């Protein structure tokens, strides 16, 4: 093994010429530092329409879920809010339960054995039976309710701000929050939610955009432009895009809106 002295002596024997050559040609190519990889940007996606179905044009859609071939839909407005079961193929209402006239229904979601439906400014959440839609439990919460989804372990809820609140799926107790950001800035008006494969898809109120949120960081990873889906005649009497439910086939969704006459089966691409 060469001693430190021998190594230093060998280096010295390279001489000034070798050092000058290195200075003239720069560092060897394999010694250059590689550029740090850029963080992936926000994906900008469009909508591929796969199929269309009838939707009740009088339904002020606030929440939408699909299970066992039936839509669970929450509709709003004072005096006409309800929860309903809907046939996806025809748009026919199979069953419904009305809310009190002084309550404005918002989003809903399904756990393994129940439905949770929230209200806008009344601070009331209803736990309902999956089959009868009857109220099993009623709980109160602070602030507004807009959208809600179930990620398999917890409820994720929006209130119209840039914040998502996590809740216990059995008791509705708050378990934490995260701020939603798009390219570093808070994204307000997060509305209807759908939890899919560890991500949260959300309508942004009063826009034609749907965003994909990482709930662990709050960062938006994709923005979907869902504009121009309705015909000009249909759009004239419709309200905003709202309502998103994961479909049977992977990476497909059903989307609709408040007072929309059409439900769309789509893929984001």
């Amino acid at each position: 093994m060469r001693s430190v002295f021998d190594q230093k002596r060998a280096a010295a024997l390279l001489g000034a010429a070798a050092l000058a050559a290195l200075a003239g040609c720069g560092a060897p190519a394999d010694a250059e530092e590689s550029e740090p990889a850029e963080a992936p940007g926000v994906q900008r996606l469009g909508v591929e329409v796969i199929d269309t179905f009838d939707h009740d044009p009088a339904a002020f859609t606030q929440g939408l879920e699909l299970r066992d071939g039936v839509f669970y839909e929450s509709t709003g407005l004072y005096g006409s809010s309800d929860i309903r079961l809907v046939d996806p193929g025809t748009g026919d209402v199979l069953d419904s339960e009305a809310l009190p006239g002084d309550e404005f229904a918002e989003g809903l979601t399904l756990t393994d054995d129940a439905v949770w439906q929230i209200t806008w400014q009344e601070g009331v959440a209803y736990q309902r039976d999956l089959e009868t839609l009857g109220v099993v439990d009623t709980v109160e919460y602070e602030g507004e309710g807009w959208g809600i989804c179930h990620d398999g372990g917890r409820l994720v809820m929006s209130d119209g701000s840039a914040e998502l609140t996590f809740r216990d799926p059995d008791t509705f107790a708050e378990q934490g929050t995260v701020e939603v950001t798009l390219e570093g800035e808070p994204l307000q008006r997060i509305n209807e939610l759908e939890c899919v494969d560890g991500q949260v898809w959300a309508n942004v109120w009063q826009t034609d955009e749907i965003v994909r949120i990482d709930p662990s960081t709050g960062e938006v990873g994709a923005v979907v432009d869902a504009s121009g889906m309705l015909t000009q005649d249909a759009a004239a009497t419709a309200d905003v895009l709202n309502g998103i439910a994961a479909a049977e086939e992977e990476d497909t969704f059903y989307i609709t809106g408040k007072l929309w006459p059409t439900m769309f089966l789509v893929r984001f691409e």
Side-chain angles (χ1 to χ4, degrees):
M1 181 180 294
R2 298 174 67 186
S3 68
V4 174
F5 174 80
D6 290 334
Q7 294 175 38
K8 288 182 177 179
R9 182 171 181 274
L13 292 176
L14 289 173
L19 293 175
L22 284 173
C25 66
D30 59 2
E32 292 180 0
E33 293 185 4
S34 60
E35 291 287 334
E38 291 186 8
V42 176
Q43 288 182 286
R44 302 290 173 171
L45 305 175
V47 173
E48 175 195 357
V49 176
I50 301 170
D51 206 347
T52 59
F53 306 89
D54 289 338
H55 179 251
D56 180 2
F60 201 75
T61 304
Q62 302 288 64
L64 188 68
E65 290 276 357
L66 177 69
R67 179 175 290 183
D68 297 331
V70 176
F71 283 129
Y72 289 74
E73 186 172 3
S74 177
T75 72
L77 298 177
Y78 290 112
S80 58
S81 290
D82 70 9
I83 179 173
R84 55 180 64 181
L85 299 179
V86 179
D87 183 326
T90 64
D92 292 342
V93 178
L94 306 175
D95 195 8
S96 66
E97 286 288 326
L99 273 72
D102 59 352
E103 293 183 359
F104 194 120
E106 286 281 347
L108 62 66
T109 193
L110 310 182
T111 63
D112 291 338
D113 56 4
V115 183
W116 279 106
Q117 183 182 29
I118 58 177
T119 55
W120 178 32
Q121 295 182 318
E122 291 68 52
V124 175
Y126 293 108
Q127 188 181 45
R128 297 179 178 273
D129 183 270
L130 277 170
E131 295 184 3
T132 68
L133 304 181
V135 175
V136 175
D137 194 13
T138 303
V139 299
E140 296 182 354
Y141 57 87
E142 296 293 328
E144 295 187 359
W146 285 42
I148 190 168
C149 67
H150 181 233
D151 69 3
R154 59 188 178 176
L155 302 174
V156 186
M157 180 173 162
S158 62
D159 62 4
S161 70
E163 188 172 84
L164 295 178
T165 300
F166 305 113
R167 295 184 178 276
D168 184 283
D170 296 319
T171 67
F172 215 71
E174 186 174 330
Q175 296 181 323
T177 62
V178 68
E179 184 181 51
V180 178
T181 59
L182 174 58
E183 297 177 330
E185 296 296 326
L187 181 61
Q188 304 287 337
R189 298 181 295 179
I190 300 300
N191 198 5
E192 218 273 287
L193 307 178
E194 178 76 352
C195 293
V196 183
D197 297 332
Q199 300 289 291
V200 177
W201 293 88
N203 289 116
V204 182
W205 186 52
Q206 291 186 322
T207 78
D208 292 319
E209 291 184 340
I210 298 169
V211 296
R212 189 188 70 219
I213 305 164
D214 181 343
S216 65
T217 63
E219 295 178 353
V220 171
V223 177
V224 179
D225 179 359
S227 60
M229 299 193 67
L230 293 176
T231 65
Q232 187 173 356
D233 288 344
T237 56
D239 207 298
V240 297
L241 175 75
N242 202 56
I244 175 171
E248 298 91 340
E249 185 180 341
E250 187 177 1
D251 296 329
T252 61
F253 297 86
Y254 289 98
I255 61 176
T256 189
K258 305 175 192 292
L259 310 180
W260 281 31
T262 308
M263 178 84 69
F264 297 86
L265 177 62
V266 304
R267 182 177 290 108
F268 303 141
E269 59 177 13

